[in-house]
Amino acid sequence: MSRLQQALAALAGRIDTPAPIVLVDVMQDNIDRMQAFAGQHGLHVRPHVKTHKCVEIGRRQLAAGAVGITAGNVGEAEVFAAAGFDDIFLAYPVWPSGTKGARLRRLTESVRLRVGVDNVAAIDALADAMAGEPERLEVVIEVDCGARRSGAPPELAGDLALAAGRRGLVPVGIFTYPGHGSASPDARMRAARDQDAALVTAVRSLTSTGITAQVVSAGSTPTVEFTSSSVITEIRPGEYVFGDLNNTRLGACTDDQVALFVAATVVSDWVPDQVIVDAGTKALSREGSAERGYGGIAGTKAVLTKLNEYHGFLGLPAGEFRPGIGAVLPVVPNHVCPVVINFEELIVTDSTGTSLERWPVDARGFLS
């Protein structure tokens, strides 16, 4: 029986399903392991809170040694700032339309705020939004390292930093995201090398303009193990705190390092070689495919082969277990981040299942 199955068995009759269950001892081990890795390599940890959106977990990350947090949008930053977090990097190319300009200004009154930029139009808009006090806002130039997402070419980092400085903003460094490292186990190291090369080029670009890169920020959970460039100063992993099936398939975590699963109950079994559980897309999101599945049952090879909004279709391979009606199963999601935002709270226990706490998902619903 897996650790997740043991914890779930101990919680029998004490929780409703579907529910996200966090094993706090496993999660804390993950936090401490990442912090130790960073310490060994002379790096700061600035965890991305989009994975958990939970103030209590963020506090544990800071207590372990994180220098601050990474947020994905202004709303996330506001929630954590209101909870006392005072060093926040908004690692996203924010366009300060609507209320966002005023909200960014308010944030700079109480926290050290850094915002990602990758184009001159955004630099001008952010400077205008700061209403005569652009020096209160630090900007980090985003460069692309092969993920082909947001991010300027690395050789243009210096030009963008100069443009920010001319507008009175404070350029403090560069960052990138090696998202292509999630393509396969072999892609992890290649993406990390691409990341290193892009950041070295970007640092040279800043230096050539007379600007020192105080911050050289790298991600992500799948690639962090291969972070090796001497120019990198901080890492921004997010999924490491919980782990998920995608990361176990990539080799970025082990089954024993998965700290979050969704408890789901078998509610129907009329179709041969299949049972229905009460966790569908509204609990698990739609991450996955028919071939790969939409989540797996811990301790087995069974995967959810299809999801409706409230139904999870669990295929039962020949010779596999066949859970009965009312059985509660631990579903490990493919991608943990979009699962957490479906719930108002996390059910927190430990590997023995004896403790039981409820932690709010404080930044749930904050998307802008």
Side-chain angles (χ1 to χ4, degrees), residues 43-58:
L43 300 168
H44 295 304
V45 179
R46 184 178 293 275
H48 209 313
V49 299
K50 72 180 177 66
T51 297
H52 56 72
K53 287 181 173 271
C54 174
V55 165
E56 175 59 29
I57 295 175

Side-chain angles (χ1 to χ4, degrees), residues 65-80:
V67 296
I69 61 169
T70 304
N73 58 59
V74 179
E76 280 183 2
E78 288 171 326
V79 168
F80 281 83

Side-chain angles (χ1 to χ4, degrees), residues 144-225:
D144 177 47
C145 66
R148 299 182 64 81
R149 198 174 70 168
S150 52
E155 60 272 16
L156 298 183
D159 292 340
L160 289 170
L162 279 177
R166 283 194 295 266
R167 289 302 313 270
L169 301 169
V170 182
V172 295
I174 52 178
F175 79 106
T176 194
Y177 173 68
H180 52 311
S182 297
S184 68
D186 292 341
R188 296 171 60 209
M189 181 179 291
R190 292 197 301 270
R193 288 173 178 167
D194 291 343
Q195 172 180 256
D196 290 353
L199 290 174
V200 167
T201 298
V203 167
R204 287 175 182 161
S205 180
L206 258 68
T207 302
S208 70
T209 65
I211 298 173
T212 299
Q214 303 170 36
V215 178
V216 182
S217 185
S220 57
T221 295
T223 58
V224 71
E225 177 184 348

